[in-house]
Amino acid sequence: MTGTGTQAAVTFRGVGASPGMVLGSAYTLDRARVSAPMRHLSGGPTEVQAEKARLKSAVALATEQLDRLHRRFDPRSDQALILETHLLMLKDPMFLGEALRLIEQEAINAEWVVCRLVARFKSAFTDMENDYFRERYADIEYIGERVLRNLLGYRDDLELDGDDIPSGSVVVARDLSPADVAVLLRKSGVEGIVTDMGAKTSHVAILARARGLPCVVGAANLSNAVHRGDLIALDGQQGSVTLHPSPEDIERFQEQRHRYLAFGQSLNALKELPACSEDGVRVQLMGNTEHIDHLSSLLDHGAEGIGLFRTELLFLDRQELPDEEEHFEIYRAAIEALDGRPATFRTLDLGSDKMPSASAALTEREPNPALGLRGLRYCLRHRDVFIPQLKALLRAACHGPMRILFPMISSIDELIVGKECIAEARAQLEAEGKPFCADIPVGAMIETPAAAWSADKLARACDFFSIGTNDLIQYVLAFDRQNHQVAHLYQPMHVAVVRALEFVVQSAHAAGIPVAVCGEMAGDPLYTFLLLGIGFDELSMVGAQIPLVKRLIRAARAQEARDFLDQVKGCDSVEQCELLVQEEMARRFGKWLDY
Ligand code: PEP
Ligand code: MG
């Protein structure tokens, strides 16, 4: 392939972190790591004291720099939360205390001590299986780098704010710190981001997705090949980046981009219309979220409310869980932002891979966390954590319609004890004279085979069901969803899964309660027709998937979907089922599934 000028086009493959297509000019950011040699302090106690003072002022300066940046953001934004994590790390006495001790004991320079402390964390974090926690090492590395830059007297690069970024720029960097991204996202010229490093769960990916900015991460070695001003074509859906695209590449890219935009616009036109099949079956399309910041984007995509608010994800980066007041403020703000639409709050789904940093250190390591003390099991054991959240939810319910959802139920007995905790929260609020709403629907997440197969009994003890297919599939097929070696066993079309889904829907409807899917399967267009056939009342997903799923439902007939379900159940193997679903979807909806 030849490029536009003398240079050949090269395509780099990475991970599509945030969808969208942009043809722009590269704006390279040199985020080369700073380094410093080791130096022995030979001037005795006076020099050691001076070195300690130098480190203290570099840390104080870093705190001041991040504080200043933090003040520029809405306190509830993702950016603010990330910067707060960094500030907490900087203020952690363990970090500074250990660094000062090393200077004192070993009489070595502050720069070297900082590098050593960061390296110590590196092996602990990079060995972790879970992408999310592995990526959190980036936070520590970033804090170290910030202190190091101050020690070495570098210019405050957070003042990137002063730089002008021309419009139509695609920022290219080896890696970007969360603070860099926070600053970049405030600039109007930035139309896309590419980094050599990172995974889907890196902060750069999370922030770009939340802002709807096309982004590719993990495009290894790209930054070495690019110069500022080079032409670059980025596809955030496919995860590809073409440097020096040829005129033919550009033409193809623009055609595809045009189709992508036109398709997006045609879907937007459906925003105010209901997800109603051609033969009149109505499905509620709700949004999944973990942050109040994302609500306006959910509503823009046409969400009819929140189907799943993962409350625990708000607090994983922090040292402590929130108290009742903080819980209350968040829930009230979410309910008010929804302006009368319903909000479903899942109570803290802690345990397994989800633990706040402070509690993680204190929690006993379980041999098999996915089967351990998680979800409602954890909350029932830690009432001091659970009751304040329930009290806050009951109070927030005075401000608009909401529902409480318990995760990881495995028996009706747990559901009953969970409801007793709600009664306890209510009694405490009464005694304290705080206003609250007593009449809130309580639902069970169906995530375990036990819950699925006792759905007929559970349905008589709660007000609604929401099926967490991510966990249900993991437990039905006995594979660990954190373990990439068995990732292929995520098989929504396994007959055991399909039968479980159908039984849960039949049980819910026999008891007269609604049933939703809130796992990833709900937002995967491949399964929309089948889920319509099974008879779900509600599907809850990330905002970006809502328009397409709505388009498919509006073009389908529920009766045909039910007939198709029978065909799927007639297949013998998973492969046969998957093929049948793919072919049927391509035949019926191909023009919408392939932009
Ligand atoms: C699920 O298990 O499908 C679900 C929605 O919960 P989470 O992914 O947070 O475990
Ligand atoms: Mg789950």
Side-chain angles (χ1 to χ4, degrees):
M1 219 187 292
T2 47
T4 42
T6 50
Q7 287 174 296
V10 197
T11 297
F12 291 78
R13 302 246 159 244
V15 176
S18 176
M21 301 179 74
V22 47
L23 180 72
S25 58
Y27 187 90
T28 46
L29 276 185
D30 181 13
R31 285 291 177 264
R33 299 262 170 263
V34 285
S35 58
M38 184 167 99
R39 188 166 49 83
H40 274 288
L41 309 176
S42 47
T46 326
E47 195 181 357
V48 167
Q49 286 316 316
E51 196 65 4
K52 283 164 72 177
R54 211 163 71 79
L55 178 64
K56 281 187 200 159
S57 36
V59 170
L61 180 59
T63 310
E64 201 184 299
Q65 290 161 337
L66 291 178
D67 249 336
R68 202 163 51 230
L69 188 62
H70 180 253
R71 280 196 297 276
R72 296 191 203 147
F73 293 98
D74 174 342
R76 288 189 303 237
S77 64
D78 280 348
Q79 288 92 332
L81 286 175
I82 290 168
L83 290 167
E84 272 160 34
T85 313
H86 290 170
L87 280 163
L88 272 174
M89 287 177 176
L90 265 179
K91 287 175 188 162
D92 186 341
M94 288 274 287
F95 173 73
L96 186 58
E98 180 62 5
L100 294 174
R101 193 186 65 76
L102 283 171
I103 296 179
E104 175 93 42
Q105 270 189 359
E106 301 189 19
I108 43 176
N109 59 327
E111 290 88 343
W112 190 249
V113 161
V114 171
C115 294
R116 235 167 76 181
L117 281 180
V118 171
R120 216 186 261 176
F121 281 108
K122 183 169 187 170
S123 50
F125 273 77
T126 45
D127 283 351
M128 290 187 179
E129 283 271 334
N130 182 313
D131 265 2
Y132 178 83
F133 288 112
R134 209 170 37 238
E135 285 298 323
R136 299 294 73 84
Y137 165 68
D139 293 329
I140 293 166
E141 198 177 31
Y142 172 69
I143 292 303
E145 181 120 345
R146 174 123 309 277
V147 174
L148 213 53
R149 293 182 85 89
N150 290 340
L151 280 167
L152 294 168
Y154 279 54
R155 161 176 110 92
D156 181 1
D157 59 333
L158 290 182
E159 295 307 328
L160 230 187
D161 247 7
D163 297 356
D164 254 349
I165 299 190
S167 67
S169 292
V170 174
V171 171
V172 180
R174 180 179 168 275
D175 199 5
L176 289 172
S177 72
D180 283 333
V181 182
V183 173
L184 284 171
L185 290 181
R186 291 154 50 90
K187 297 193 169 282
S188 55
V190 179
E191 291 189 9
I193 297 182
V194 198
T195 58
D196 292 2
M197 316 284 285
K200 257 208 156 111
T201 45
S202 313
H203 279 131
V204 60
I206 294 169
L207 295 174
R209 265 200 302 278
R211 260 283 305 274
L213 195 71
C215 173
V216 172
V217 295
N221 297 324
L222 173 72
S223 67
N224 282 335
V226 183
H227 295 98
R228 200 171 269 197
D230 282 349
L231 191 63
I232 196 166
L234 175 156
D235 184 338
Q237 175 85 20
Q238 307 296 333
S240 73
V241 182
T242 303
L243 178 62
H244 313 304
S246 67
E248 302 81 61
D249 293 335
I250 293 175
E251 200 180 319
R252 220 174 312 121
F253 186 86
Q254 293 291 36
E255 268 169 23
Q256 201 180 352
R257 181 166 176 270
H258 190 72
R259 279 205 304 277
Y260 175 74
L261 292 176
F263 180 57
Q265 268 160 15
S266 76
L267 292 182
N268 276 345
L270 302 177
K271 188 178 155 190
E272 306 297 336
L273 298 175
C276 188
S277 69
E278 281 187 350
D279 49 353
V281 172
R282 176 78 162 89
V283 182
Q284 300 278 333
L285 296 188
M286 311 287 270
N288 288 359
T289 189
E290 58 279 333
H291 205 285
I292 179 158
D293 238 22
H294 305 160
L295 294 188
S296 62
S297 156
L298 275 188
L299 297 180
D300 280 348
H301 283 105
E304 297 177 75
I306 300 177
L308 174 67
F309 197 122
R310 290 178 161 105
T311 58
E312 69 287 345
L313 293 186
L314 282 167
F315 313 117
L316 293 188
D317 269 358
R318 300 178 16 160
Q319 292 296 307
E320 284 156 17
L321 283 169
D323 60 12
E324 179 190 322
E325 267 334 287
E326 196 180 344
H327 273 299
F328 170 67
E329 286 306 333
I330 293 166
Y331 306 146
R332 187 184 59 173
I335 289 171
E336 283 175 353
L338 288 177
D339 198 19
R341 299 172 187 87
T344 312
F345 293 99
R346 174 172 77 183
T347 54
L348 297 165
D349 187 15
L350 295 170
S352 192
D353 60 326
K354 291 189 273 193
M355 266 296 169
S357 36
S359 321
L362 301 174
T363 309
E364 192 186 325
R365 244 181 112 77
E366 295 179 296
N368 205 338
L371 302 180
L373 195 62
R374 58 164 297 198
L376 188 62
R377 301 171 183 181
Y378 179 93
C379 283
L380 294 184
R381 184 75 66 83
H382 296 273
R383 306 277 170 108
D384 53 327
V385 169
F386 196 29
I387 300 285
Q389 179 179 37
L390 293 175
K391 287 169 75 182
L393 286 167
L394 294 175
R395 287 171 58 198
C398 298
H399 298 268
M402 63 160 266
R403 313 189 287 187
I404 292 179
L405 181 60
F406 289 145
M408 191 66 187
I409 296 256
S410 42
S411 70
I412 196 162
D413 310 67
E414 282 170 345
L415 178 61
I416 290 169
V417 185
K419 287 170 86 169
E420 284 168 7
C421 291
I422 295 183
E424 164 66 20
R426 207 182 289 151
Q428 288 190 17
L429 289 172
E430 244 158 26
E432 291 161 18
K434 292 180 183 160
F436 66 94
C437 173
D439 196 19
I440 303 172
V442 176
M445 277 192 90
I446 306 295
E447 300 185 283
T448 62
W453 295 115
S454 48
D456 49 341
K457 310 264 184 216
L458 279 171
R460 282 184 247 128
C462 66
D463 303 302
F464 67 100
F465 283 158
S466 190
I467 305 187
T469 42
N470 306 341
D471 276 320
L472 182 62
I473 298 172
Q474 122 164 293
Y475 295 123
V476 166
L477 272 77
F479 80 98
D480 177 354
R481 69 192 254 203
Q482 308 298 337
N483 182 346
H484 65 97
Q485 311 240 42
V486 284
H488 61 282
L489 288 175
Y490 173 78
Q491 292 169 338
M493 286 299 95
H494 194 296
V495 65
V497 175
V498 176
R499 282 182 184 163
L501 297 181
E502 200 183 11
F503 180 70
V504 174
V505 170
Q506 285 166 352
S507 305
H509 289 170
I513 64 168
V515 53
V517 178
C518 64
E520 293 307 301
M521 194 179 171
D524 188 336
L526 192 59
Y527 305 120
T528 306
F529 191 53
L530 199 74
L531 295 177
L532 178 69
I534 298 177
F536 284 98
D537 304 287
E538 185 183 312
L539 300 176
S540 191
M541 62 200 81
V542 295
Q545 293 305 106
I546 292 176
L548 179 55
V549 170
K550 186 188 282 186
R551 155 62 70 217
L552 301 182
I553 291 174
R554 288 179 62 83
R557 295 186 70 80
Q559 184 51 53
E560 289 175 15
R562 287 191 277 273
D563 295 342
F564 179 60
L565 171 65
D566 287 336
Q567 277 186 52
V568 170
K569 286 194 301 180
C571 293
D572 288 329
S573 70
V574 180
E575 196 184 338
Q576 217 184 346
C577 273
E578 279 170 357
L579 210 64
L580 179 66
V581 172
Q582 278 162 13
E583 283 171 2
E584 186 68 11
M585 292 306 282
R587 190 178 69 74
R588 284 179 178 271
F589 309 110
K591 62 181 168 179
W592 289 311
L593 293 176
D594 180 28
Y595 72 78

